[in-house]
Amino acid sequence: GLPSGFGSACDPFAENSDGVCESVGKSLMQKAAGKVKDVGSATAAAAPATEGGEEQAAAIEVAAAEQPPVAIPAATPAKRTSASMLLQTRRPFSGPDLRLLQNTSKNNTKVDKRNHLAGSTISADEAEKIKAKNGYYLGFSRDFWIVLAIMIVSLILSMALVLGSVSIAVGWRSRYLGNGISLEPDGSITKPVFPVGFGQRLLGHDKNSNFAIWADLSLRCAVMCGVIALTYWVPFLEPLNNYGWSMQYVVVIICFSVYMDIGNTTSLAWYNFYGTLLPTLNVFLMWGFCPDGVTKSETFSPTWWFGMIDFVIFNGAFLVLNVPVGVRMFALSWQAYFSMAFLDPQNTTKFSTGLDDVILEGAAVGPLVGTIFGCIISILVVCLSPWGYALTGLGAAQEQAIGIAWSEGMQWKQMIKLYKGSESTIEIDRLKGEAKILEAKVHKLDSMMSATWWECFDLWKAGRVKAHITELQGKLDCMHDWLKGSIQAMQEEDFNDKHDKLMAKVGDQLETLADVGGKLMFRAVKMGINGFAMSKYAGADAALAQIEQRELKADMQAVAVAQKELAEVFASSRQEVFGANTLTPDSLGEHFFVFALSTYGQIATEYAEYILSDKRAEPQGILKSCYNGVKDTFAFNSLNFIMRTSIGFFGAWVIGYFGMPGGIMAAYSSTAAGTTAYLMAAEGKGGSAIMKNVARFQGTGGGTIIGQLLFTTMMTCAWWGSIIGFVVVVIYEFFAFYLYFSSQSFGYVGLLLAAYGAEHLIMGCSSQDTPGGVYNTIVDQTLAILCVTAGDLIIGNRSSGHLAAEALFTMTNILEGAMRELFGIGTRDLSTPRDKRHCAIIDRCTDQGTAAVHDAHKIEIQSKYMQADSIGSEAPLEPRFYRMPFKQELWDTLIKCGGQIGIKLCCMEYAIVDAEARKEKGGKHAAVDAVISTQTLGKVVDETMARWEKVFTLAETLMLHETNDKLTNLGKSCKALLKEPMDRLDSNLKDIVQEISQALPPTTSKDSILADDICLASVLVMMMSGIIDKINIMEEVCFKDPDINLEDLSCE
């Protein structure tokens, strides 16, 4: 039987300052006295009774000889979202807390000595006997070669499992799509539908795909946990726990490694191993110099100072340097225990003194091997199995990408059908909802691709597929911006007689371009997700590739013809319907819609050209990723973070070093210090840290109690006990894992339930548990939380509300600068003559090329927007104390309008860059400058930018004001805004259109609407109108804020 798993004095994960199994010693003493009861407190076990002290000491000595303890901290991997680095991440860690499973309860003891959580530990004398028996080879112990072989074989096996499973997954999806495009009887593309694995079909994928996916993964994990649990209940499997590691610990590693797909699981498994290996190597250094620790020295001796300095330097480096967050947590947690054992004068646990002294039963080596086994099994769980297909992010991205390509084409067809109608219908409003669904699919594709580097390492066909989908992601963002802009144009359309007449003349051309553009995009994406590269094919494959190549070129030609035909017909129809080949106030929407559709065809053409070019971004191999990771590691964290985390971690370690009175915590206990490593919130994440601390109480306590109840009521040592145990573990772990994978709010609770439940469920049938483990777990966590909170209070974690506002208004500053650059008015300079303004984007296109300029601001704006949105979600969760509640309504409006302004600005930039790409080199860029130099539009832009500055300054002031103190500087700015309200663009639209029509050079026949100056002008005017509307909405919500009173709004 296993001692109490993560929570007992005999537990290999527990720290025992006296080097003896105190609780077991007490139990043996009670048996000798015929008074066997539940194991009592650690204090009672440690203090000899007044009478019979010798008998008790003897009992303790027996326990120490039979099963000495060791503490093995566990840790948590970061959910890696960057696939480009093996050793570095830049995203805030939000993963699980494995170190919490290291409970040092002296009360929660199992007497059955057959179970070992992470393998039994041994004394130095026993270690020498083992090494003498096993022998040495080439100067190293036998176990060194075994561990080295395990690491090498595991690495090779892991790579083979990952690359093999992903190659199969990518390959069968390519073969399933086949060659060519399947069409429906009406000529539309057949919707791509991929087969679903047996397990997900059984779980009802056709009714609820999300449930089936989460349940599939949960069941895989649960069954694997159940199989591993059999090593404690099936006699011939029990020896698997007798070689220095524990299969129970392997289950724990599975809990903290498996996540969603192969890429995420591989990255988490790497952090499990990487974060364990570093402190293990440091153990060899520590005990290599001082083989006895401080057991033969005194406090403040040179050995003591060596251990203390090593502890401070090793852990300090992880707090100061920009190491991956998950690795930091692993390393801090493990080293907290290792250093505490080194400094414990009564430590009897054996640690290896170097590579030549490695033994599997060592306190660091055994768990390292167990970690490796857990990592391998975790990867195996998500790979191809009889239950279903491999769960790969890249495979899911293939399906998602081709599905988006199909949906985008179908939506454009539906939009054209409705736009050709004679009136606005509710169907147009429904399109807006469908666009949001499509946008969610685009974001989901980004999530699927986040860890795909870990699935292919940029190698072979899978690496090409990853590169092609990565290229597609940028195109999809641009396409969707235009699609949303077109829906806005449809909603604002008045559907008058002129609109109907124009659509009657150009409707067929619109449908043709949408049809051939959709087919081109679908075929190009299909070839992209198949990893097309003409230079990689030979023989029959080359012949098939040539056919695909010809078909793609034919589609490109069809799009080019459709583009030219639409441009010619639209220009002539514009002349007939509106009486002039120019822009009119009631034709803005039509011009914008046609331009957006033409952009869709152009994007499809550009992606097809990329596929045919046989070029892709330079792959980032493993060695290069390692180099980049190590290089980025040597950046420094902020001083605020270093000071906060140092107070929390080192403070908890010092308390554990001295212990706490009353038997609450024994001296030389590292549990609380290790726990703080997982409570340290990243900057701006104070809100989620509080929520996770609460979740830890729910998960740890709930998992322990439920595990105890199930084990006590269900387990038996009869022959059917293994069957019952297997079923109980599978059912319990299934629901725990499902909660982890499916719930955003309670996923963390599910993870801890799975881990703590495994701790108290997977034990020998004769093991016994006590309620004291729950109490000690809560005590350790409470102390850790108090230490971390002390650091936050003394130094102060920056407010999520302030950080969110900072990110948002950084984005709006970027938008303001881009607007001034586009309209040629200079930075904060409204005195530029309106008739001499020049668009700076044109110069950048000339200097850098249109490809480099096209998405430059989009990437920067989107990055800041996502940062502001992410941190803003934390603001309502953080404790406000003396501050007023977070202004949620104001924030929601600001972030929404700011994002929409960003989309409209990007559409204007796209239009200008695409138009410039169509012009001949060295030509005069008269159209854009002519538009922005018109007097009325220039006046509107000047007023808008002046208003922009005032409104955003007011919004920033309100967002950062978090007390009841009255704002004394608002009156003047509020009165200025109210005195001169900004009207919508409609009031100046007639003059703007007339001036633009006079300023634009005469139009000639174009090959594409993208080169039509009138359409370009319509995009600028329409998007400018939308920006003005959003600024007015933001101004209105600011005036509703309670910090602005009637006196501020008075215009007297």
mmCIF file of all heavy atoms in Angstrom, residues 625-655:
data_model
loop_
_atom_site.group_PDB
_atom_site.id
_atom_site.type_symbol
_atom_site.label_atom_id
_atom_site.label_comp_id
_atom_site.label_asym_id
_atom_site.label_seq_id
_atom_site.Cartn_x
_atom_site.Cartn_y
_atom_site.Cartn_z
ATOM 1 N N SER A 625 15.314 27.172 -32.562
ATOM 2 C CA SER A 625 14.365 27.511 -31.505
ATOM 3 C C SER A 625 15.040 27.507 -30.143
ATOM 4 O O SER A 625 14.778 28.367 -29.305
ATOM 5 C CB SER A 625 13.197 26.519 -31.514
ATOM 6 O OG SER A 625 12.456 26.619 -32.706
ATOM 7 N N CYS A 626 15.892 26.517 -29.925
ATOM 8 C CA CYS A 626 16.638 26.472 -28.661
ATOM 9 C C CYS A 626 17.505 27.717 -28.503
ATOM 10 O O CYS A 626 17.550 28.326 -27.431
ATOM 11 C CB CYS A 626 17.502 25.218 -28.605
ATOM 12 S SG CYS A 626 16.589 23.681 -28.419
ATOM 13 N N TYR A 627 18.181 28.079 -29.568
ATOM 14 C CA TYR A 627 19.055 29.255 -29.511
ATOM 15 C C TYR A 627 18.251 30.514 -29.208
ATOM 16 O O TYR A 627 18.618 31.314 -28.334
ATOM 17 C CB TYR A 627 19.793 29.417 -30.837
ATOM 18 C CG TYR A 627 20.524 30.737 -30.967
ATOM 19 C CD1 TYR A 627 21.729 30.954 -30.293
ATOM 20 C CD2 TYR A 627 19.994 31.760 -31.739
ATOM 21 C CE1 TYR A 627 22.386 32.169 -30.401
ATOM 22 C CE2 TYR A 627 20.639 32.981 -31.852
ATOM 23 C CZ TYR A 627 21.844 33.173 -31.181
ATOM 24 O OH TYR A 627 22.481 34.375 -31.295
ATOM 25 N N ASN A 628 17.130 30.690 -29.913
ATOM 26 C CA ASN A 628 16.303 31.870 -29.676
ATOM 27 C C ASN A 628 15.735 31.882 -28.262
ATOM 28 O O ASN A 628 15.634 32.924 -27.617
ATOM 29 C CB ASN A 628 15.156 31.919 -30.691
ATOM 30 C CG ASN A 628 15.642 32.241 -32.087
ATOM 31 O OD1 ASN A 628 16.700 32.837 -32.259
ATOM 32 N ND2 ASN A 628 14.887 31.828 -33.087
ATOM 33 N N GLY A 629 15.350 30.689 -27.792
ATOM 34 C CA GLY A 629 14.812 30.604 -26.449
ATOM 35 C C GLY A 629 15.823 30.984 -25.394
ATOM 36 O O GLY A 629 15.527 31.733 -24.462
ATOM 37 N N VAL A 630 17.038 30.453 -25.524
ATOM 38 C CA VAL A 630 18.091 30.777 -24.561
ATOM 39 C C VAL A 630 18.437 32.257 -24.631
ATOM 40 O O VAL A 630 18.622 32.922 -23.605
ATOM 41 C CB VAL A 630 19.338 29.909 -24.821
ATOM 42 C CG1 VAL A 630 20.493 30.365 -23.960
ATOM 43 C CG2 VAL A 630 19.025 28.440 -24.553
ATOM 44 N N LYS A 631 18.494 32.793 -25.834
ATOM 45 C CA LYS A 631 18.825 34.215 -25.990
ATOM 46 C C LYS A 631 17.769 35.103 -25.338
ATOM 47 O O LYS A 631 18.095 36.058 -24.623
ATOM 48 C CB LYS A 631 18.936 34.551 -27.482
ATOM 49 C CG LYS A 631 19.312 36.003 -27.756
ATOM 50 C CD LYS A 631 19.475 36.259 -29.245
ATOM 51 C CE LYS A 631 18.151 36.127 -29.968
ATOM 52 N NZ LYS A 631 18.258 36.499 -31.400
ATOM 53 N N ASP A 632 16.504 34.776 -25.554
ATOM 54 C CA ASP A 632 15.434 35.582 -24.966
ATOM 55 C C ASP A 632 15.362 35.424 -23.455
ATOM 56 O O ASP A 632 14.837 36.293 -22.751
ATOM 57 C CB ASP A 632 14.087 35.202 -25.590
ATOM 58 C CG ASP A 632 13.982 35.625 -27.043
ATOM 59 O OD1 ASP A 632 14.785 36.490 -27.451
ATOM 60 O OD2 ASP A 632 13.122 35.105 -27.762
ATOM 61 N N THR A 633 15.858 34.309 -22.954
ATOM 62 C CA THR A 633 15.835 34.083 -21.515
ATOM 63 C C THR A 633 16.647 35.120 -20.776
ATOM 64 O O THR A 633 16.329 35.485 -19.636
ATOM 65 C CB THR A 633 16.364 32.672 -21.192
ATOM 66 O OG1 THR A 633 15.460 31.705 -21.718
ATOM 67 C CG2 THR A 633 16.512 32.459 -19.699
ATOM 68 N N PHE A 634 17.689 35.639 -21.403
ATOM 69 C CA PHE A 634 18.589 36.554 -20.718
ATOM 70 C C PHE A 634 18.109 38.000 -20.750
ATOM 71 O O PHE A 634 18.892 38.929 -20.570
ATOM 72 C CB PHE A 634 19.997 36.441 -21.291
ATOM 73 C CG PHE A 634 20.686 35.167 -20.881
ATOM 74 C CD1 PHE A 634 20.661 34.056 -21.712
ATOM 75 C CD2 PHE A 634 21.295 35.053 -19.652
ATOM 76 C CE1 PHE A 634 21.271 32.871 -21.332
ATOM 77 C CE2 PHE A 634 21.901 33.871 -19.266
ATOM 78 C CZ PHE A 634 21.885 32.774 -20.101
ATOM 79 N N ALA A 635 16.807 38.174 -20.954
ATOM 80 C CA ALA A 635 16.187 39.469 -20.689
ATOM 81 C C ALA A 635 15.751 39.472 -19.220
ATOM 82 O O ALA A 635 15.677 38.421 -18.583
ATOM 83 C CB ALA A 635 15.000 39.683 -21.621
ATOM 84 N N PHE A 636 15.487 40.642 -18.692
ATOM 85 C CA PHE A 636 15.149 40.746 -17.277
ATOM 86 C C PHE A 636 13.659 41.034 -17.099
ATOM 87 O O PHE A 636 13.051 41.751 -17.889
ATOM 88 C CB PHE A 636 15.968 41.858 -16.605
ATOM 89 C CG PHE A 636 17.432 41.570 -16.530
ATOM 90 C CD1 PHE A 636 18.314 42.158 -17.422
ATOM 91 C CD2 PHE A 636 17.932 40.690 -15.583
ATOM 92 C CE1 PHE A 636 19.672 41.889 -17.374
ATOM 93 C CE2 PHE A 636 19.290 40.418 -15.516
ATOM 94 C CZ PHE A 636 20.161 41.004 -16.415
ATOM 95 N N ASN A 637 13.093 40.451 -16.044
ATOM 96 C CA ASN A 637 11.731 40.792 -15.659
ATOM 97 C C ASN A 637 11.720 42.194 -15.048
ATOM 98 O O ASN A 637 12.762 42.739 -14.683
ATOM 99 C CB ASN A 637 11.193 39.777 -14.644
ATOM 100 C CG ASN A 637 10.976 38.407 -15.259
ATOM 101 O OD1 ASN A 637 10.465 38.290 -16.376
ATOM 102 N ND2 ASN A 637 11.365 37.367 -14.542
ATOM 103 N N SER A 638 10.532 42.749 -14.901
ATOM 104 C CA SER A 638 10.427 44.080 -14.311
ATOM 105 C C SER A 638 10.812 44.026 -12.836
ATOM 106 O O SER A 638 10.664 42.996 -12.167
ATOM 107 C CB SER A 638 8.999 44.612 -14.463
ATOM 108 O OG SER A 638 8.107 43.875 -13.645
ATOM 109 N N LEU A 639 11.277 45.144 -12.317
ATOM 110 C CA LEU A 639 11.665 45.224 -10.908
ATOM 111 C C LEU A 639 10.469 44.946 -10.005
ATOM 112 O O LEU A 639 10.601 44.311 -8.957
ATOM 113 C CB LEU A 639 12.250 46.608 -10.610
ATOM 114 C CG LEU A 639 12.741 46.838 -9.170
ATOM 115 C CD1 LEU A 639 13.868 45.861 -8.829
ATOM 116 C CD2 LEU A 639 13.209 48.283 -9.001
ATOM 117 N N ASN A 640 9.290 45.404 -10.423
ATOM 118 C CA ASN A 640 8.075 45.170 -9.638
ATOM 119 C C ASN A 640 7.825 43.671 -9.484
ATOM 120 O O ASN A 640 7.547 43.177 -8.389
ATOM 121 C CB ASN A 640 6.887 45.847 -10.330
ATOM 122 C CG ASN A 640 5.570 45.621 -9.606
ATOM 123 O OD1 ASN A 640 4.975 44.551 -9.699
ATOM 124 N ND2 ASN A 640 5.108 46.639 -8.910
ATOM 125 N N PHE A 641 7.934 42.931 -10.575
ATOM 126 C CA PHE A 641 7.694 41.483 -10.529
ATOM 127 C C PHE A 641 8.744 40.783 -9.669
ATOM 128 O O PHE A 641 8.432 39.904 -8.862
ATOM 129 C CB PHE A 641 7.711 40.918 -11.950
ATOM 130 C CG PHE A 641 7.579 39.416 -12.010
ATOM 131 C CD1 PHE A 641 6.336 38.815 -11.929
ATOM 132 C CD2 PHE A 641 8.702 38.613 -12.139
ATOM 133 C CE1 PHE A 641 6.204 37.433 -11.981
ATOM 134 C CE2 PHE A 641 8.592 37.231 -12.180
ATOM 135 C CZ PHE A 641 7.333 36.643 -12.108
ATOM 136 N N ILE A 642 9.991 41.163 -9.834
ATOM 137 C CA ILE A 642 11.070 40.526 -9.072
ATOM 138 C C ILE A 642 10.864 40.715 -7.574
ATOM 139 O O ILE A 642 10.990 39.764 -6.784
ATOM 140 C CB ILE A 642 12.436 41.098 -9.509
ATOM 141 C CG1 ILE A 642 12.722 40.739 -10.974
ATOM 142 C CG2 ILE A 642 13.549 40.577 -8.604
ATOM 143 C CD1 ILE A 642 13.932 41.446 -11.545
ATOM 144 N N MET A 643 10.508 41.923 -7.178
ATOM 145 C CA MET A 643 10.352 42.204 -5.749
ATOM 146 C C MET A 643 9.128 41.502 -5.182
ATOM 147 O O MET A 643 9.169 40.927 -4.085
ATOM 148 C CB MET A 643 10.269 43.715 -5.527
ATOM 149 C CG MET A 643 11.546 44.462 -5.894
ATOM 150 S SD MET A 643 11.394 46.247 -5.701
ATOM 151 C CE MET A 643 11.240 46.381 -3.926
ATOM 152 N N ARG A 644 8.023 41.526 -5.907
ATOM 153 C CA ARG A 644 6.807 40.870 -5.421
ATOM 154 C C ARG A 644 7.016 39.373 -5.240
ATOM 155 O O ARG A 644 6.679 38.791 -4.207
ATOM 156 C CB ARG A 644 5.653 41.094 -6.401
ATOM 157 C CG ARG A 644 4.996 42.436 -6.324
ATOM 158 C CD ARG A 644 3.707 42.463 -7.135
ATOM 159 N NE ARG A 644 3.919 42.170 -8.544
ATOM 160 C CZ ARG A 644 3.588 41.022 -9.120
ATOM 161 N NH1 ARG A 644 3.050 40.055 -8.413
ATOM 162 N NH2 ARG A 644 3.780 40.841 -10.417
ATOM 163 N N THR A 645 7.545 38.734 -6.260
ATOM 164 C CA THR A 645 7.699 37.280 -6.216
ATOM 165 C C THR A 645 8.767 36.866 -5.214
ATOM 166 O O THR A 645 8.650 35.808 -4.587
ATOM 167 C CB THR A 645 8.044 36.747 -7.608
ATOM 168 O OG1 THR A 645 9.198 37.446 -8.120
ATOM 169 C CG2 THR A 645 6.883 36.940 -8.573
ATOM 170 N N SER A 646 9.786 37.680 -5.065
ATOM 171 C CA SER A 646 10.836 37.350 -4.099
ATOM 172 C C SER A 646 10.286 37.369 -2.676
ATOM 173 O O SER A 646 10.604 36.493 -1.863
ATOM 174 C CB SER A 646 12.002 38.328 -4.222
ATOM 175 O OG SER A 646 12.632 38.208 -5.487
ATOM 176 N N ILE A 647 9.468 38.365 -2.366
ATOM 177 C CA ILE A 647 8.873 38.419 -1.032
ATOM 178 C C ILE A 647 8.006 37.193 -0.783
ATOM 179 O O ILE A 647 8.076 36.560 0.274
ATOM 180 C CB ILE A 647 8.050 39.716 -0.864
ATOM 181 C CG1 ILE A 647 8.990 40.930 -0.815
ATOM 182 C CG2 ILE A 647 7.180 39.658 0.393
ATOM 183 C CD1 ILE A 647 8.271 42.256 -0.800
ATOM 184 N N GLY A 648 7.184 36.831 -1.748
ATOM 185 C CA GLY A 648 6.299 35.693 -1.576
ATOM 186 C C GLY A 648 7.044 34.380 -1.458
ATOM 187 O O GLY A 648 6.829 33.600 -0.521
ATOM 188 N N PHE A 649 7.969 34.119 -2.387
ATOM 189 C CA PHE A 649 8.651 32.824 -2.416
ATOM 190 C C PHE A 649 9.638 32.678 -1.261
ATOM 191 O O PHE A 649 9.580 31.718 -0.484
ATOM 192 C CB PHE A 649 9.375 32.656 -3.748
ATOM 193 C CG PHE A 649 10.174 31.390 -3.842
ATOM 194 C CD1 PHE A 649 9.553 30.168 -4.024
ATOM 195 C CD2 PHE A 649 11.566 31.422 -3.741
ATOM 196 C CE1 PHE A 649 10.291 28.996 -4.101
ATOM 197 C CE2 PHE A 649 12.307 30.259 -3.811
ATOM 198 C CZ PHE A 649 11.665 29.041 -3.993
ATOM 199 N N PHE A 650 10.559 33.633 -1.134
ATOM 200 C CA PHE A 650 11.573 33.512 -0.091
ATOM 201 C C PHE A 650 10.957 33.657 1.307
ATOM 202 O O PHE A 650 11.424 33.029 2.268
ATOM 203 C CB PHE A 650 12.670 34.556 -0.295
ATOM 204 C CG PHE A 650 13.547 34.267 -1.481
ATOM 205 C CD1 PHE A 650 13.564 35.110 -2.587
ATOM 206 C CD2 PHE A 650 14.359 33.143 -1.513
ATOM 207 C CE1 PHE A 650 14.370 34.848 -3.679
ATOM 208 C CE2 PHE A 650 15.174 32.871 -2.603
ATOM 209 C CZ PHE A 650 15.170 33.723 -3.689
ATOM 210 N N GLY A 651 9.888 34.462 1.420
ATOM 211 C CA GLY A 651 9.218 34.578 2.708
ATOM 212 C C GLY A 651 8.611 33.256 3.147
ATOM 213 O O GLY A 651 8.763 32.837 4.308
ATOM 214 N N ALA A 652 7.926 32.568 2.240
ATOM 215 C CA ALA A 652 7.338 31.269 2.575
ATOM 216 C C ALA A 652 8.425 30.246 2.879
ATOM 217 O O ALA A 652 8.263 29.394 3.766
ATOM 218 C CB ALA A 652 6.456 30.787 1.425
ATOM 219 N N TRP A 653 9.545 30.322 2.171
ATOM 220 C CA TRP A 653 10.627 29.357 2.404
ATOM 221 C C TRP A 653 11.250 29.558 3.786
ATOM 222 O O TRP A 653 11.547 28.590 4.489
ATOM 223 C CB TRP A 653 11.685 29.504 1.318
ATOM 224 C CG TRP A 653 12.661 28.366 1.283
ATOM 225 C CD1 TRP A 653 12.542 27.191 0.615
ATOM 226 C CD2 TRP A 653 13.929 28.315 1.955
ATOM 227 N NE1 TRP A 653 13.633 26.398 0.826
ATOM 228 C CE2 TRP A 653 14.510 27.062 1.645
ATOM 229 C CE3 TRP A 653 14.616 29.191 2.785
ATOM 230 C CZ2 TRP A 653 15.752 26.677 2.127
ATOM 231 C CZ3 TRP A 653 15.856 28.809 3.276
ATOM 232 C CH2 TRP A 653 16.408 27.562 2.946
ATOM 233 N N VAL A 654 11.426 30.805 4.180
ATOM 234 C CA VAL A 654 11.987 31.079 5.503
ATOM 235 C C VAL A 654 11.054 30.573 6.604
ATOM 236 O O VAL A 654 11.490 29.969 7.593
ATOM 237 C CB VAL A 654 12.255 32.590 5.667
ATOM 238 C CG1 VAL A 654 12.603 32.920 7.121
ATOM 239 C CG2 VAL A 654 13.392 33.026 4.750
ATOM 240 N N ILE A 655 9.748 30.791 6.421
ATOM 241 C CA ILE A 655 8.794 30.289 7.416
ATOM 242 C C ILE A 655 8.855 28.772 7.483
ATOM 243 O O ILE A 655 8.858 28.172 8.565
ATOM 244 C CB ILE A 655 7.370 30.756 7.070
ATOM 245 C CG1 ILE A 655 7.272 32.281 7.223
ATOM 246 C CG2 ILE A 655 6.342 30.069 7.970
ATOM 247 C CD1 ILE A 655 5.947 32.854 6.778
#
